[in-house]
Amino acid sequence: TTPDDVRMMSKSLVAFAAGLLGFVLVKVLAPGFFARHLFFKTLDQTSYRGWRPEKPEYQFNEWMLRTTVSFIKRLTISSRQVASIWS
């Protein structure tokens, strides 16, 4: 390898690092952008004003949430009973 090859490789790595930083920032900041409904505010400034996706039915998710909450409540009660036996 020549010194010119090394110099060109270092320049390509610097460019790659800058691109990687931009990619990571997009991956980190995009969920917050969509979670705060800024997406729909900016969408309302276009010809898609008022468009919202159809809200899906969450029957399974609601059932899973109720089941999980009741399971956690039962575990909490039983762990308190065990703690009261030991104290």
Side-chain angles (χ1 to χ4, degrees):
T1 60
T2 65
D4 189 44
D5 291 339
V6 173
R7 188 170 37 261
M8 295 302 286
M9 184 61 160
S10 68
K11 289 182 180 182
S12 68
L13 286 175
V14 168
F16 178 76
L20 186 62
L21 177 65
F23 179 76
V24 168
L25 283 175
V26 166
K27 288 293 185 180
V28 168
L29 297 177
F33 175 78
F34 289 107
R36 293 180 55 210
H37 300 286
L38 292 176
F39 173 73
F40 292 116
K41 288 181 184 176
T42 54
L43 190 66
D44 285 341
Q45 297 170 2
T46 66
S47 61
Y48 292 101
R49 176 174 306 197
W51 178 85
R52 298 295 184 267
E54 293 181 14
K55 188 174 182 180
E57 295 183 22
Y58 293 109
Q59 295 173 352
F60 177 76
N61 288 345
E62 291 173 0
W63 171 83
M64 183 60 90
L65 179 64
R66 285 192 311 269
T67 305
T68 305
V69 167
S70 67
F71 180 71
I72 290 172
K73 285 181 181 178
R74 277 190 256 135
L75 279 179
T76 304
I77 291 170
S78 60
S79 63
R80 287 182 183 161
Q81 290 171 347
V82 169
S84 66
I85 293 171
W86 287 102
S87 49

